[in-house]
Amino acid sequence: MRTTVERVAVLIGVAAALAGVVLIWLADVKYDRQLTELRQVQDELNTIQTRRGTYQRLVQNLVAYSQSQPAIDAVLVPFGFKAAAQPQQPAASATAPSALGSVPAAQPATSTQTPVVAPKTGGRQ
C-alpha cells in the first residue's frame, strides 16, 4: 500500500513542478512581449522629442529673423508664434470723445474692405 501512496505523491509532485514551469514560461513570454512594446514606445518618444527640439529651434530662428524681416510676421502670427503688432494709438486729438461723454459718429462699413485671412501653408494646426 505504501508504494501506491508514494507513486501518487510523486505524480502530484511532478505535475505541480510541471505546472510551475509552464506558469513561469507563460510569464516570461508576456514579459518579453511587454518589453518589446516598451522599447517601441521609447523609440517613438525619442523621435518625437528630437522633432520637437528641431521645431522649437526653427521657430526661435524664425522669430529672430522676423526682427530684421517683419514681412514673415504674416506666417508667425496666425500660428501663435508671435503676437500681432498693435497699431500705434494717435495722441489725444480733436476726434477723441470729450470728457462730457459725446460719442463720435460711427464710420459706415464699405464693401471695398477685404477680410484678413491667414496664409495657406498646408500644415496641420
Side-chain angles (χ1 to χ4, degrees):
M1 173 137 168
R2 187 170 180 189
T3 60
T4 307
V5 173
E6 289 176 353
R7 286 182 185 173
V8 171
V10 168
L11 286 175
I12 290 174
V14 169
L18 182 61
V21 169
V22 169
L23 287 175
I24 290 172
W25 178 73
L26 289 174
D28 181 53
V29 168
K30 183 178 178 182
Y31 174 77
D32 286 341
R33 192 175 302 141
Q34 289 177 341
L35 188 61
T36 302
E37 183 180 339
L38 177 63
R39 286 183 179 147
Q40 289 173 349
V41 170
Q42 285 178 333
D43 289 342
E44 290 175 16
L45 179 62
N46 186 29
T47 302
I48 290 170
Q49 288 175 338
T50 302
R51 287 181 183 173
R52 182 177 182 202
T54 302
Y55 296 149
Q56 285 177 337
R57 286 190 301 277
L58 176 64
V59 169
Q60 290 171 349
N61 289 340
L62 285 172
V63 169
Y65 179 74
S66 73
Q67 292 174 352
S68 63
Q69 299 293 328
I72 200 166
D73 287 349
V75 174
L76 298 176
V77 171
F79 289 103
F81 297 135
K82 189 172 182 182
Q86 297 294 327
Q88 294 288 334
Q89 294 290 334
S93 63
T95 60
S98 66
L100 298 176
S102 64
V103 178
Q107 296 178 348
T110 61
S111 62
T112 60
Q113 295 175 344
T114 58
V116 177
V117 179
K120 301 286 186 204
T121 60
R124 294 184 192 166
Q125 291 185 357

